[in-house]
Amino acid sequence: MSIYLSFYSIIGLLALLQSKLKSDQKLIASYLIFVLVSLFSGLRGSVGADTLNYLQIYQDSPGIAHFFESEWKVEPLFLFLNSLHKSIFDNEFLFLLGYSVFQAFLLMLVTRRSKNPSLFIFVYVVYFLFESPL
């Protein structure tokens, strides 16, 4: 529980401090937030039902050679990316870490395009603070 509070507090403080920084320092703060979100979500292991569901989908995904022969129970692009990853790496840890980096990258893109990036990150952190198991 305290690790979640600590993590969200650090990200929230970085988001608030980011509005006070110079433009080159804001970029560094954005990358730091990106790295922290990626590592935290990618390295936390099997936490919650969603992670176990994603791992089961990954395990059930065919290799890329059998992609078109399989029954699609999830979105085709998601299954395709799983199949591609499984054909290249076949590693559940890298699978979770890869999707965490992808999610953090999307967060960074949205943040950089928003009018008030610090407020967006702060709201994002507060939302997930109350959604996380404490």
Side-chain angles (χ1 to χ4, degrees):
M1 173 173 84
S2 61
I3 190 83
Y4 282 94
L5 289 173
S6 300
F7 170 74
Y8 289 125
S9 297
I10 290 169
I11 297 296
L13 286 173
L14 278 172
L16 290 174
L17 290 174
Q18 188 179 23
S19 63
K20 309 276 188 236
L21 299 173
K22 298 176 186 174
S23 63
D24 58 334
Q25 293 171 332
K26 284 183 182 183
L27 185 61
I28 293 170
S30 293
Y31 286 125
L32 184 58
I33 291 171
F34 168 75
V35 168
L36 288 174
V37 168
S38 295
L39 291 177
F40 185 77
S41 60
L43 299 176
R44 65 186 177 157
S46 297
V47 176
D50 284 350
T51 304
L52 297 176
N53 289 333
Y54 286 125
L55 287 175
Q56 186 62 49
I57 292 169
Y58 180 74
Q59 292 167 354
D60 294 342
S61 297
I64 197 71
H66 302 287
F67 173 73
F68 289 105
E69 301 167 6
S70 66
E71 184 178 324
W72 297 350
K73 295 180 182 176
V74 295
E75 292 83 1
L77 181 60
F78 180 67
L79 184 62
F80 176 77
L81 292 174
N82 289 350
S83 296
L84 183 64
H85 184 278
K86 195 170 187 177
S87 295
I88 296 171
F89 301 108
D90 198 16
N91 185 305
E92 293 175 354
F93 172 75
L94 291 177
F95 165 74
L96 292 175
L97 186 61
Y99 274 108
S100 297
V101 169
F102 180 70
Q103 178 188 6
F105 177 72
L106 290 177
L107 174 66
M108 189 173 78
L109 285 179
V110 171
T111 302
R112 293 179 84 192
R113 294 192 189 322
S114 69
K115 290 183 181 180
N116 192 341
S118 301
L119 179 62
F120 176 79
I121 293 174
F122 184 75
V123 169
Y124 178 84
V125 165
V126 168
Y127 174 76
F128 282 104
L129 174 65
F130 291 113
E131 288 292 314
S132 296
L134 294 176

